Amino acid sequence: MIRYPSLLIIFVILFVAISLYQIKHFITKKEIELAQIKKNIDVAQSDLNILNAELTYLKRPDRIEKIAINKLGLREVLPTDIWDLKDLVNATDSLSNGEKK
Amino acid sequence: MKVFSFVNFHFKKNNDTKSRKIKLLFCGFLLIISFTMIGYRTISLASAKKVNLSKIAHKDFNSKTLEKTIRGNIFDRNNKILATTIDTSSLSINPQEILNKNETINKLIKIFPELNEEVLLKKLNNNKKHINLLREISPREYVKILNMGIEGLIIQTRQKRIYPNNNLASHILGGTDIDGNGIAGVEKNFEAQLQKGNHVTLSIHSGIQHITRKLLLNQIKKFEAEGGAGIIMNAKNGQVYASVSLPDYNANNYDLKLDKKLFNKATKGIYELGSTLKLITAAIAFESNLINENELFDVSKPLKVSSRIISDFHPLSFSINIPEVIVHSSNIGSAKMAEKFGSSIQLKYLKSLGLMDMLPLEIPELGRPQILTDKKVLTTMAISYGHSISITPMHLASATATIVNNGIKIDPTLITDKTKVQKRHVISKETSKKMKSIMRLVVSNQHGTAKKAEVPGYIVGGKTGTAEKIKPSGGYFKKQNIVAFTGAFPMNDPQFIITLMIDNPKGQQFSYGYRTAGWVVAPLVKKLVTRIAPILNIKPQSERSIEFSNNLLNYKIRGKNKGANL
């Protein structure tokens, strides 16, 4: 005669044991993955630091200045190059008024 | 044993006890074995094995980063990197593991042409197990090595502090030792913060720093000077946008052997900055209420005090008031003003302007002012025109900021988040307004000593100073000068302070042999303001505007022929 409670107990025990095994296995796998991701982040961060440093080196003011002068033909901004928009409007108004007269 | 009773059902009809017992035992044994195995596996995965696996997984990761936190970066005010830490690889070799030495040498020379074949052969014939080949290899070279598959090579990763802008702000940034510990400048001052991996943002503006350095360097070369210092500071909150000391050095090659180049002339070097100190004398005169701006001082004859004769570079034959004393830079007038307000008042104001103490700046390289405090009349007079008082250019910039900032004390700072500005009035708003008006005249008036600093639209004001250089053994070099300028712009509402100093310029043909501040530093101020004002968002303005006339006073300045000029 089959004793159902006993059978149930053994099944539960087996199920719990297998589940526990699976969970632990899963967690360990995930921990390895996490460590790998962390390692990848670290490597990426290190590469990023190098790239940022290289970019800063390329963007250093003395280099940009040389490029601006020699390659682009730029020059320093003189006070006469800077106009307030209001002054320009006033100048245009007075000019157009003068033409009308 | 009830638990195991379910196994009896096959044997219910059979009453053979022995057989039942054996079968029962067998099943029990199987169960125990199964549970033991599951238990062991579970425990091993949960504890012991887990640690081992994690260790394996973390091995590379740990060795690279977790041993030590990466040192924090130093940024300028626009978040541009001034100092950062990167991983670099070094190359070593184990000669014992190399089978074909000639092939290895050929492969290595292909990647690193700078390596010497003979030296390499000598190293590879060595009996040692570890020989350093190259301290640093680039990521590209690293990949090439991996692709070539050379046996016996050891590549190790280490951290390196780098300064991508080379010489830019090297005196401010300082340096680190081989272990990555800060040994000078901001690196030393913020050591704890940087070591924890926290970043530091400075008030320095890379662009302004570069322009100041470049123009100052050009002027130093032009006048064959020994060096110089330049400071650009926010007049409202004391944030230093540029602090240059020349000669300088490449921050990537910080070495104590550099000696003189390591010396920060802007914050540590103390100098007699000559007539620039007359600004302070005039401010004290106004503030003391003992002298008003219309009071006249006879400067027609040299002044004899004790054994010393005080004379003027540009002698005048009539009596002059305070604005004229400053515009003409009269030593006699300045000495007479100081005589009137006396030593105690002078020292009190020098103290409150911060000219008698070290500055609260965020670097260790700071100079302590040296001032003669014997309270003798001659000393008081000498201090009034910038002798017997040695301060750093940064002290002068700080005092100038206080004078033009409505008299509110300004302490220089190298960091942006120091927002706490003291609201301590050192001089009154009225005195500040008078001083700003006079400083403007020094540049704008035809008799002013800083005429060459005039930039139309930017309303520059300030004061020049030319002083004989102090001999290390005492006394003065008669033919060696320290020339300086301190000022602000735009003078109707000063936003930025400019303080420049050049050490021992030589007279040139184009300067008619002159090596005074008016010839050496004033033109530099003009170039500098023209370049930096647009970057600093200072708009050119007309002096005819109402805003301008409301903020500055209009003093009459007489020239040699007594003709009044506006």
Side-chain angles (χ1 to χ4, degrees):
Chain A
M1 189 187 153
I2 301 167
R3 291 208 169 186
Y4 287 106
S6 304
L7 206 60
L8 189 69
I9 287 167
I10 195 90
F11 272 120
V12 168
I13 289 167
L14 273 173
F15 179 76
V16 168
I18 292 165
S19 301
L20 191 65
Y21 176 82
Q22 285 299 327
I23 289 166
K24 290 293 173 191
H25 182 67
F26 180 75
I27 288 169
T28 311
K29 209 173 137 188
K30 288 294 163 196
E31 276 180 348
I32 294 167
E33 276 176 29
L34 181 68
Q36 190 60 45
I37 290 166
K38 279 183 179 171
K39 187 185 166 189
N40 290 345
I41 290 171
D42 186 57
V43 171
Q45 188 61 53
S46 169
D47 292 345
L48 200 65
N49 280 350
I50 293 170
L51 287 173
N52 275 332
E54 280 184 1
L55 187 65
T56 310
Y57 180 73
L58 291 173
K59 280 163 63 181
R60 63 188 196 280
D62 57 327
R63 184 174 175 271
I64 298 293
E65 188 184 32
K66 269 180 200 164
I67 292 170
I69 294 168
N70 300 333
K71 306 277 181 194
L72 301 174
L74 298 179
R75 60 161 177 83
E76 63 188 20
V77 181
L78 298 172
T80 46
D81 298 330
I82 305 166
W83 280 78
D84 198 308
L85 205 58
K86 280 179 197 168
D87 295 337
L88 276 177
V89 171
N90 290 341
T92 319
D93 284 349
S94 57
L95 202 70
S96 55
N97 288 339
E99 276 174 5
K100 277 175 191 172
K101 280 174 189 175
Chain B
M1 290 301 285
K2 262 196 167 181
V3 176
F4 300 107
S5 60
F6 69 93
V7 291
N8 292 349
F9 75 103
H10 284 300
F11 311 100
K12 205 91 181 169
K13 293 163 192 172
N14 191 349
N15 286 329
D16 191 345
T17 337
K18 202 178 174 185
S19 168
R20 276 170 63 192
K21 273 185 182 175
I22 289 167
K23 282 175 182 172
L24 194 67
L25 222 90
F26 178 69
C27 285
F29 180 72
L30 268 180
L31 270 173
I32 288 164
I33 291 287
S34 307
F35 274 101
T36 310
M37 280 174 71
I38 290 169
Y40 170 75
R41 185 69 182 148
T42 310
I43 291 164
S44 66
L45 282 174
S47 57
K49 200 68 179 173
K50 179 196 158 195
V51 173
N52 288 341
L53 282 172
S54 296
K55 267 186 186 171
I56 295 162
H58 279 93
K59 199 181 168 187
D60 283 352
F61 180 67
N62 278 345
S63 63
K64 280 181 85 177
T65 55
L66 289 184
E67 284 171 0
K68 203 179 177 185
T69 317
I70 296 174
R71 191 176 175 85
N73 291 347
I74 302 175
F75 295 103
D76 83 342
R77 64 182 307 108
N78 297 318
N79 280 331
K80 288 181 180 167
I81 295 172
L82 294 174
T84 188
T85 302
I86 59 164
D87 288 332
T88 56
S89 305
S90 64
L91 183 67
S92 320
I93 201 157
N94 181 358
Q96 312 291 322
E97 288 181 9
I98 293 169
L99 303 171
N100 190 336
K101 286 175 184 168
N102 285 333
E103 195 189 330
T104 305
I105 289 170
N106 287 338
K107 281 180 178 176
L108 279 172
I109 286 176
K110 252 186 191 175
I111 306 170
F112 307 104
E114 70 271 21
L115 288 177
N116 186 299
E117 197 175 335
E118 284 174 25
V119 177
L120 261 180
L121 191 65
K122 220 181 232 180
K123 282 184 176 177
L124 295 190
N125 284 328
N126 204 305
N127 288 330
K128 288 178 186 171
K129 283 187 177 177
H130 189 107
I131 293 170
N132 292 327
L133 280 186
L134 290 163
R135 200 173 164 77
E136 272 166 37
I137 57 168
S138 69
R140 202 164 289 169
E141 290 163 341
Y142 178 76
V143 172
K144 277 182 188 173
I145 288 172
L146 292 182
N147 289 339
M148 283 224 176
I150 308 168
E151 72 274 18
L153 290 188
I154 306 156
I155 297 166
Q156 286 171 319
T157 307
R158 65 182 191 97
Q159 288 180 0
K160 194 193 174 195
R161 193 72 168 161
I162 60 155
Y163 306 87
N165 294 298
N166 300 336
N167 288 43
L168 195 84
S170 49
H171 286 99
I172 295 298
L173 296 171
T176 55
D177 61 15
I178 200 157
D179 298 319
N181 302 313
I183 49 170
V186 168
E187 293 276 23
K188 187 176 181 183
N189 202 74
F190 292 95
E191 173 66 4
Q193 196 175 328
L194 291 166
Q195 282 289 11
K196 282 179 195 163
N198 297 326
H199 303 314
V200 172
T201 304
L202 298 183
S203 61
I204 295 291
H205 185 300
S206 293
I208 305 292
Q209 178 80 17
H210 162 69
I211 293 167
T212 310
R213 179 183 179 273
K214 193 192 166 189
L215 295 179
L216 185 63
L217 190 64
N218 286 348
Q219 204 72 348
I220 286 170
K221 281 180 186 165
K222 217 168 151 184
F223 281 90
E224 299 171 85
E226 283 177 25
I231 295 157
I232 308 291
M233 183 202 283
N234 186 311
K236 309 277 183 193
N237 56 23
Q239 287 184 12
V240 177
Y241 277 54
S243 175
V244 179
S245 173
L246 292 169
D248 58 5
Y249 58 96
N250 185 335
N252 292 299
N253 305 325
Y254 186 91
D255 190 339
L256 292 174
K257 285 175 201 159
L258 290 165
D259 194 26
K260 278 185 181 175
K261 286 185 177 179
L262 291 180
F263 188 75
N264 191 340
K265 287 185 163 74
T267 62
K268 191 163 177 63
I270 54 167
Y271 309 92
E272 285 192 356
L273 294 170
S275 299
T276 51
L277 270 287
K278 284 174 189 160
L279 286 180
I280 291 154
T281 304
I284 299 171
F286 287 131
E287 204 61 19
S288 68
N289 287 326
L290 295 170
I291 309 163
N292 65 54
E293 60 256 56
N294 298 319
E295 190 166 334
L296 297 173
F297 298 92
D298 181 15
V299 295
S300 58
K301 289 171 197 161
L303 189 64
K304 197 178 177 213
V305 187
S306 307
S307 57
R308 199 153 158 186
I309 295 169
I310 300 168
S311 57
D312 284 340
F313 192 72
H314 302 288
L316 294 168
S317 56
F318 53 94
S319 297
I320 54 175
N321 57 21
I322 297 179
E324 287 169 327
V325 167
I326 303 302
V327 172
H328 288 291
S329 198
S330 167
N331 292 339
I332 303 167
S334 192
K336 286 190 171 178
M337 281 197 287
E339 188 184 17
K340 194 150 189 181
F341 57 67
S343 162
S344 300
I345 290 179
Q346 186 183 52
L347 292 175
K348 182 189 129 192
Y349 279 99
L350 290 178
K351 178 84 182 162
S352 56
L353 282 164
L355 299 182
M356 294 175 79
D357 304 300
M358 276 167 77
L359 287 167
L361 202 65
E362 296 87 357
I363 49 169
E365 295 81 15
L366 298 171
R368 185 178 292 281
Q370 285 181 7
I371 303 170
L372 258 182
T373 52
D374 57 14
K375 295 196 173 184
K376 287 179 183 170
V377 177
L378 180 61
T379 309
T380 308
M381 288 179 166
I383 291 173
S384 77
Y385 54 86
H387 283 234
S388 305
I389 173 168
S390 297
I391 53 171
T392 67
M394 193 61 85
H395 274 98
L396 186 61
S398 169
T400 309
T402 303
I403 288 171
V404 301
N405 188 38
N406 293 328
I408 298 167
K409 178 83 169 72
I410 294 291
D411 285 324
T413 178
L414 282 167
I415 51 172
T416 46
D417 51 0
K418 193 179 174 181
T419 45
K420 195 183 149 195
V421 179
Q422 298 170 332
K423 282 276 178 187
R424 185 164 66 87
H425 271 274
V426 175
I427 59 169
S428 67
K429 204 174 169 182
E430 292 72 36
T431 299
S432 176
K433 189 174 181 177
K434 288 173 188 171
M435 289 309 302
K436 284 187 272 186
S437 310
I438 297 171
M439 286 164 78
R440 173 65 190 139
L441 286 169
V442 173
V443 176
S444 64
N445 191 272
Q446 61 169 309
H447 304 295
T449 52
K451 286 194 298 274
K452 290 181 193 296
E454 174 71 334
V455 191
Y458 290 130
I459 315 172
V460 182
K463 180 75 190 83
T464 55
T466 305
E468 285 168 356
K469 209 174 155 180
I470 302 171
K471 283 181 185 172
S473 54
Y476 292 93
F477 289 111
K478 288 290 165 200
K479 287 186 177 175
Q480 290 189 24
N481 296 110
I482 294 285
V483 292
F485 174 91
T486 191
F489 72 97
M491 230 37 232
N492 53 331
D493 180 22
Q495 301 291 323
F496 290 94
I497 303 296
I498 296 187
T499 300
L500 299 166
M501 183 276 291
I502 291 183
D503 182 359
N504 191 19
K506 316 282 183 309
Q508 303 294 316
Q509 210 174 356
F510 62 81
S511 71
Y512 307 101
Y514 283 112
R515 52 173 193 275
T516 57
W519 276 96
V520 181
V521 194
L524 173 59
V525 174
K526 180 180 180 174
K527 285 179 199 163
L528 194 53
V529 172
T530 307
R531 288 286 301 275
I532 66 173
I535 300 171
L536 295 169
N537 204 22
I538 304 291
K539 289 173 191 162
Q541 49 187 309
S542 166
E543 290 198 35
R544 287 176 204 152
S545 69
I546 302 161
E547 193 194 341
F548 179 83
S549 52
N550 281 347
N551 288 332
L552 291 179
L553 303 165
N554 199 1
Y555 293 114
K556 287 180 179 176
I557 304 296
R558 293 164 297 159
K560 276 190 174 179
N561 57 2
K562 293 192 187 181
N565 297 289
L566 295 178

